[in-house]
Amino acid sequence: MMSSVTWKIGGEAGFGIMSSGTMLAKTFSRQGYKTLATNEYPSLIRGGHNVITVRIAVEEFYSLRKDVHILATLNKQTVDLHKDELNDDGILLFDPADFDWKPEHFSRHVVCIPIPLKEMVRVKSVDPVMRNTIVLGASVALLGGVFENLKTVIADQFQKKGEKVIAYNAELAWMGFDHIKKTAGDVRHFYLKNAEKREDQLILNASEALGLGAVRAGMKFSAIYPMTPINSVITFLADHAKELGIVYKQPEDEIAGMNMAIGAAYAGIRSMVATSGGGFALMVEALSLAGMQEIPVVIDLGMRVGPATGMPTWTESGELRFVIHAGHGEFPRIVLAPGSCEECFRLTIHAFHLAEKYQIPVFILTDKYLNESQWCVPKSMFTKPVSIDRGKVVKEEELTPGQMFKRYRLDVEDGVSPRSFPGMKGGIYFNNSYEHDEFGLVTEDPDMRKRMVDKRLRKFQAIQKDIMSPQVFGDDNADITFVTWGSTTGPVREAMTMLEHQGMHTRCIQYFWLYPFPSEETKSLLAKGGRIIDVEQNATAQLAGLIREYTGIDIQEKIVKYNGRPFFPEEIIERL
Amino acid sequence: MTTVRSSSFMTGKMPTWCPGCGDFGIWTSLKDALAGLGISGDDGVCVYGVGCHGNMYNWMKIYGFAGLHGRTLPVAQAIKLVNHELPVICISGDGDGLGEGGNHFIHAAKRNPDITVIIHDNQVYGLTTGQASPSAKKGFVTKSTPEGVTDAPINPLALALTAGATFVARGFSGDTQGLTELLKRAIQHKGFSLVDVLQPCVTFDKVHTYMWYRERVYYLDTSHDASDKVKAFEKAYEWGDKIPLGVFYEEDRPTAEELEPALKCGPLAKQPIDSSCFDALLEEFI
Ligand SMILES: Cc1ncc(C[n+]2csc(CCOP(=O)(O)OP(=O)(O)O)c2C)c(N)n1
Ligand code: SF4
């Protein structure tokens, strides 16, 4: 019996690879198992080869490992590409109509289990696209799962498509399940140990968690131009716009998107955009506009491989420096970077709060790996109470009708002046991109200019008290300290678990609040000495650079990865 | 309706436009049109582009958003989606609205938001001291086209018609009364309304003077059928000895806001933040 199994399915794009992963994860997460499903779709290979890997475990874990216990394949190419990843005693599920795989084709000991997939769909006269459902049934059998659990997942998955679709999907799944029981009844070595169900768990990606967070924070307007890897934010918001009473607008480009979000926030509600590096490049001028006009806006930047088009469907965390420095002129901003799906939800809510508290743009840096992997998160993580504070907004009764409103009052210690919203009687001011006076009227007066810059930059000091210390995991007295941020946190923590088993204690400092940089906190956390190792998913170790800039501490040891693939914990351990 | 006077829009700052600039006429007509419609400075928003035209906000007391060059339309559409009870007017230039913001222009027209766009059409980039604008006619000598413009000009009316605008008009800043009436109709129109205003730049355009326009402009009369798009195109391309003014095209089509389900219960800005259906949302992911 296994306490953790990794299953991988591959095939041509359009054959339901991604949804098989989600369904397998749900079949087990509903029983209390922890799951993680992560996809890869290298768009360069002909036919669009898609892969999804699902790890299912009894206990909490933080990332995949290099294991592949079961390789489920819908075509020969998948076997060709992934056969060397199979563990010893690994199981290969394949259709003998594609190729008759035998143990001698593999360098390790592999259990080859043929399933006549094409034949089965032909007999049932259903679309060959449904072969994945047969494989899903077979896989649940190999994991020692209960068929009924898969059946309910199928019913939920195809609910919108109607009873008939549910019925023949369930039938196909059963054929796969039954086939294993009948032909390979003794292959039980990857049966999972029982897990204890504590509470409901959600299977979702970080884009969806971000959408949920935005909704919980009262976000009412978003304008998002499609771009990998944030497309599922669009699907989530557009699908639920009606019931939630929110507006999602597809803009003509990211320039429009950012200007729309700014216009919406100016008009009185909470708004956001989401994009990736290239799209954000187009937003930069408007980012500076938000800085000048003191507009609260939340920007989700889902990082992917750059520069330029880069490798659109692969992961990287290379935009940290970009968001800190983007925009002409000097103005305050906050940069947050969740290290997990639940953190993404929490930080999104917080981002809206901070944006309105300080009337500034706030970034949430996510990446392809976070945004397109399906994470397993306990429901209670999403149900904590949220209080919404709109920050400094004047009430209409405090205004004097007929008079202009001092929107940019200078006599504010924290640099944050109360806002009025268009339509309020007596609240007229100019929301001005040009340097302005307290009413927003244009000015080029040297004294007023200086005072306005000082006012805006005073927010930096005010923000200091809200800066959140990095999270620290592991052993405070350990010799090795990992320093990391964003999605790399998962593989680092997984590596720590593995090292712990080898008797090696380590510590991890995870930055999720990156700017304004927590310099004092960093100095004290790193004062202890020992080996400090920076782990980042980019080539130039951008966090290490920031640490040096703000604390003078020059981290010597760096483990960086920038081939587009997320870290495996084993790779971190190997490079220690 | 409360009475609103044109003078109520004064801010105390005086215009910095060159004496005689066509922008004066547009400013006067806009104030008169708003006053005529009973729209006060508190209950409307003007979104300004960057250019001589955009400087207007300093002497125009109405909620004002002075943003980036070319970006009035995305801002205006968002304001309208958040608070569709407010009239929203874009004060844009031919460089601002058709050059830098050309893509926004096409897409805004296509969506039919209930906003009004006034293009200050002077064939030049005034604020950057007189380069050719996208609407500059062939042969026109400017600082950036010493040999004369070689490109075909963008025709703002035809572009708006193609893109799907539901109200397309042209005015002349030398006739403020006529322009006031056009602006009133444009603001009252439900949907995307364009008013392209022939606006002499007295400093950088010595060809298209008030006199030049006065000798050519005439108003479309009742014989023009404003519901006929083909006729509207024909008239939009009439340029030479005779230049038509007035409403070229008008159509009734649902606005972007009317089609937005979330706005059914009133403006977004006035809706409470409600997360009552949040639990059902979570269920979808289990
Ligand atoms: C992004 C950007 N590019 C260039 C400019 C410089 N600029 C200011 S106004 C202007 C042109 C204005 O022309 P138009 O819109 O026709 O307005 P006018 O001054 O003629 O009223 C330009 C190019 C700018 N402000 N922003
Ligand atoms: S430069 Fe031309 S457009 Fe600008 S204010 Fe002077 S006359 Fe008017």
Side-chain angles (χ1 to χ4, degrees):
Chain A
M1 297 281 258
M2 304 286 286
S3 53
S4 170
V5 171
T6 302
W7 171 89
K8 190 170 206 150
I9 185 169
E12 245 177 82
F15 281 75
I17 304 295
M18 196 60 204
S19 64
S20 320
T22 309
M23 288 197 282
L24 188 73
K26 282 192 174 178
T27 304
F28 287 90
S29 69
R30 287 180 180 185
Q31 310 312 313
Y33 291 90
K34 295 283 165 189
T35 65
L36 164 59
T38 187
N39 66 341
E40 288 181 7
Y41 48 113
S43 48
L44 288 181
I45 293 175
R46 262 184 69 199
H49 176 62
N50 280 15
V51 180
I52 183 155
T53 311
V54 184
R55 181 175 173 193
I56 305 165
V58 175
E59 299 292 334
E60 165 122 53
F61 64 91
Y62 307 103
S63 79
L64 297 181
R65 294 189 185 176
K66 271 188 168 172
D67 299 317
V68 177
H69 298 99
I70 302 171
L71 180 62
T73 65
L74 295 181
N75 58 9
K76 176 168 181 291
Q77 185 190 30
T78 305
V79 189
D80 291 333
L81 286 169
H82 300 282
K83 67 179 183 345
D84 294 336
E85 295 166 24
L86 263 171
N87 284 26
D88 221 17
D89 290 334
I91 296 175
L92 174 74
L93 288 178
F94 68 100
D95 188 344
D98 291 332
F99 187 82
D100 197 13
W101 294 99
K102 297 278 178 238
E104 51 271 29
H105 293 121
F106 300 86
S107 54
R108 301 207 187 100
H109 177 250
V110 168
V111 181
C112 297
I113 303 182
I115 315 183
L117 298 171
K118 292 202 174 98
E119 178 63 18
M120 283 170 163
V121 291
R122 198 185 54 77
V123 169
K124 284 272 144 198
S125 44
V126 294
D127 195 329
V129 81
M130 295 168 89
R131 283 178 293 156
N132 65 331
T133 311
I134 305 173
V135 172
L136 206 51
S139 303
V140 170
L142 288 170
L143 293 164
V146 179
F147 182 72
E148 275 310 305
N149 298 337
L150 173 60
K151 212 172 143 185
T152 54
V153 171
I154 289 175
D156 294 345
Q157 176 84 10
F158 297 107
Q159 197 189 356
K160 282 193 190 128
K161 298 196 173 159
E163 286 304 321
K164 220 171 125 193
V165 178
I166 295 175
Y168 53 68
N169 270 287
E171 204 175 324
L172 288 173
W174 173 253
M175 284 167 74
F177 189 87
D178 193 48
H179 179 84
I180 295 297
K181 293 288 178 197
K182 290 203 173 114
T183 66
D186 55 341
V187 185
R188 291 166 173 257
H189 58 285
F190 292 143
Y191 273 28
L192 278 157
K193 282 185 194 153
N194 272 337
E196 189 196 331
K197 180 166 179 185
R198 294 175 196 95
E199 60 164 310
D200 282 344
Q201 307 186 100
L202 274 67
I203 297 296
L204 77 178
N205 65 37
S207 276
E208 290 160 339
L210 184 129
L212 285 167
V215 166
R216 201 81 174 91
M219 186 277 301
K220 286 204 185 288
F221 181 94
S222 64
I224 307 173
Y225 191 81
M227 189 166 191
T228 304
I230 52 77
N231 292 328
S232 45
V233 186
I234 299 179
T235 313
F236 174 80
L237 294 173
D239 273 355
H240 298 98
K242 211 169 170 175
E243 68 202 78
L244 294 169
I246 60 173
V247 171
Y248 160 72
K249 199 83 195 157
Q250 181 167 327
E252 54 274 29
D253 54 34
E254 288 84 352
I255 300 176
M258 186 64 173
N259 278 280
M260 282 180 175
I262 289 172
Y266 156 78
I269 49 87
R270 289 186 164 184
S271 70
M272 66 172 284
V273 293
T275 186
S276 191
F280 178 62
L282 294 181
M283 294 180 177
V284 169
E285 191 194 19
L287 175 75
S288 167
L289 177 69
M292 186 54 138
Q293 295 181 330
E294 305 188 40
I295 298 280
V297 61
V298 172
I299 303 141
D300 166 30
L301 199 166
M303 299 176 286
R304 66 188 212 190
V305 173
T309 308
M311 302 200 293
T313 61
W314 298 91
T315 204
E316 194 161 277
S317 305
E319 317 296 9
L320 179 56
R321 283 288 189 184
F322 185 22
V323 295
I324 290 174
H325 300 296
H328 53 297
E330 299 162 301
F331 57 92
R333 71 194 73 192
I334 291 172
V335 180
L336 309 173
S340 68
C341 191
E342 60 258 43
E343 205 165 65
C344 188
F345 173 77
R346 267 186 287 120
L347 287 182
T348 302
I349 296 172
H350 199 50
F352 281 97
H353 170 75
L354 291 167
E356 287 205 321
K357 180 171 183 185
Y358 294 109
Q359 301 174 5
I360 53 167
V362 177
F363 289 91
I364 305 167
L365 278 178
T366 55
D367 61 19
K368 189 273 169 184
Y369 176 55
L370 276 180
N371 278 313
E372 292 196 349
S373 300
Q374 304 273 327
W375 308 86
C376 174
V377 187
K379 186 178 169 189
S380 57
M381 293 288 181
F382 299 95
T383 51
K384 294 179 183 133
V386 173
S387 66
I388 291 171
D389 177 357
R390 303 288 313 269
K392 294 189 195 174
V393 178
V394 288
K395 294 198 183 65
E396 203 161 0
E397 50 271 25
E398 298 163 1
L399 298 165
T400 318
Q403 278 190 15
M404 294 258 310
F405 172 63
K406 282 193 178 177
R407 156 73 180 101
Y408 299 105
R409 263 173 56 180
L410 286 162
D411 58 346
V412 282
E413 209 180 318
D414 57 0
V416 185
S417 326
R419 301 191 281 159
S420 67
F421 296 134
M424 286 183 171
K425 296 274 175 245
I428 299 178
Y429 72 97
F430 300 113
N431 188 53
N432 205 341
S433 165
Y434 214 110
E435 190 57 278
H436 42 259
D437 65 11
E438 291 181 295
F439 298 104
L441 283 160
V442 71
T443 188
E444 293 186 359
D445 174 75
D447 179 53
M448 182 55 76
R449 157 68 183 170
K450 183 172 176 304
R451 290 169 71 196
M452 277 294 164
V453 173
D454 291 343
K455 163 186 148 56
R456 290 189 290 267
L457 296 185
R458 270 206 300 282
K459 295 180 187 178
F460 266 128
Q461 275 104 58
I463 293 167
Q464 291 295 322
K465 64 178 184 305
D466 275 333
I467 289 182
M468 294 158 96
S469 279
Q471 291 205 71
V472 182
F473 302 104
D475 183 350
D476 274 336
N477 301 312
D479 267 346
I480 291 182
T481 295
F482 294 111
V483 172
T484 194
W485 67 284
S487 72
T488 315
T489 309
V492 170
R493 292 189 69 186
E494 191 66 15
M496 289 168 72
T497 311
M498 293 170 81
L499 290 167
E500 193 71 32
H501 279 293
Q502 297 170 20
M504 196 165 152
H505 305 298
T506 54
R507 179 171 73 135
C508 171
I509 301 175
Q510 177 220 345
Y511 287 82
F512 60 94
W513 177 300
L514 285 143
Y515 191 82
F517 193 74
S519 20
E520 292 315 311
E521 294 81 353
T522 301
K523 280 181 203 157
S524 69
L525 282 169
L526 295 182
K528 193 180 67 73
R531 279 176 75 189
I532 302 171
I533 304 168
D534 174 71
V535 189
E536 294 189 57
Q537 189 85 35
N538 59 58
T540 54
Q542 299 186 18
L543 171 63
L546 273 189
I547 293 175
R548 179 155 187 205
E549 180 180 335
Y550 286 99
T551 66
I553 299 167
D554 188 6
I555 298 176
Q556 296 297 321
E557 290 191 72
K558 296 175 187 107
I559 302 179
V560 293
K561 186 172 179 183
Y562 45 91
N563 64 359
R565 278 72 177 161
F567 273 105
F568 281 111
E570 290 89 342
E571 293 171 320
I572 298 169
I573 294 171
E574 275 160 24
R575 283 154 75 177
L576 277 185
Chain B
M1 198 166 79
T2 48
T3 356
V4 180
R5 276 184 239 284
S6 303
S7 58
S8 68
F9 293 104
M10 303 298 279
T11 62
K13 290 226 175 192
M14 288 319 282
T16 54
W17 290 314
C18 307
C21 171
D23 287 345
F24 282 98
I26 302 175
W27 178 50
T28 303
S29 298
L30 179 61
K31 286 184 296 181
D32 290 350
L34 290 170
L37 296 172
I39 299 167
S40 77
D42 288 316
D43 39 41
V45 185
C46 284
V47 183
Y48 303 87
V50 175
C52 296
H53 62 275
N55 288 343
M56 189 194 291
Y57 66 87
N58 285 294
W59 39 94
M60 185 73 199
K61 195 168 131 196
I62 185 167
Y63 274 99
F65 186 114
L68 298 169
H69 184 42
R71 313 299 169 203
T72 58
L73 286 164
V75 170
Q77 290 170 80
I79 294 171
K80 195 73 189 184
L81 282 166
V82 171
N83 196 344
H84 59 268
E85 286 171 352
L86 297 174
V88 178
I89 299 159
C90 290
I91 309 296
S92 185
D94 43 9
D96 185 82
L98 304 171
E100 194 92 352
N103 196 25
H104 307 314
F105 184 84
I106 298 166
H107 285 83
K110 141 187 192 286
R111 295 184 189 115
N112 200 33
D114 185 16
I115 61 176
T116 298
V117 182
I118 305 172
I119 298 272
H120 297 226
D121 189 349
N122 58 7
Q123 300 194 44
V124 292
Y125 284 9
L127 196 62
T128 46
T129 70
Q131 301 83 2
S133 87
S135 63
K137 306 293 176 293
K138 251 190 170 144
F140 183 39
V141 175
T142 71
K143 278 198 184 160
S144 57
T145 56
E147 305 293 326
V149 170
T150 52
D151 305 352
I154 282 182
N155 181 325
L157 305 179
L159 184 63
L161 286 168
T162 309
T166 51
F167 182 98
V168 178
R170 184 195 277 140
F172 171 44
S173 69
D175 172 22
T176 49
Q177 267 182 4
L179 182 57
T180 303
E181 290 315 307
L182 279 181
L183 290 179
K184 276 200 211 161
R185 277 182 69 180
I187 295 167
Q188 281 179 305
H189 171 78
K190 280 243 151 287
F192 184 88
S193 51
L194 166 75
V195 185
D196 181 47
V197 185
L198 304 175
Q199 175 243 317
C201 167
V202 295
T203 304
F204 296 111
D205 182 356
K206 303 296 180 196
V207 181
H208 310 96
T209 60
Y210 284 94
M211 214 43 194
W212 190 92
Y213 281 122
R214 282 216 170 91
E215 282 165 3
R216 290 165 174 81
V217 294
Y218 75 98
Y219 278 94
L220 294 169
D221 60 22
T222 45
S223 68
H224 175 70
D225 177 4
S227 67
D228 185 337
K229 210 168 197 172
V230 176
K231 282 274 152 40
F233 270 109
E234 255 171 46
K235 283 290 166 193
Y237 281 104
E238 186 179 321
W239 184 276
D241 292 342
K242 297 192 85 187
I243 300 173
L245 303 176
V247 179
F248 288 58
Y249 184 68
E250 185 162 19
E251 175 196 336
D252 193 17
R253 181 151 64 86
T255 65
E257 299 77 41
E258 283 167 350
L259 295 171
E260 194 61 58
L263 310 188
K264 291 274 184 288
C265 333
L268 270 196
K270 296 186 180 166
Q271 310 263 330
I273 291 172
D274 171 24
S275 29
S276 51
C277 58
F278 196 70
D279 216 53
L281 218 56
L282 297 181
E283 289 301 318
E284 286 176 27
F285 294 100
I286 292 172

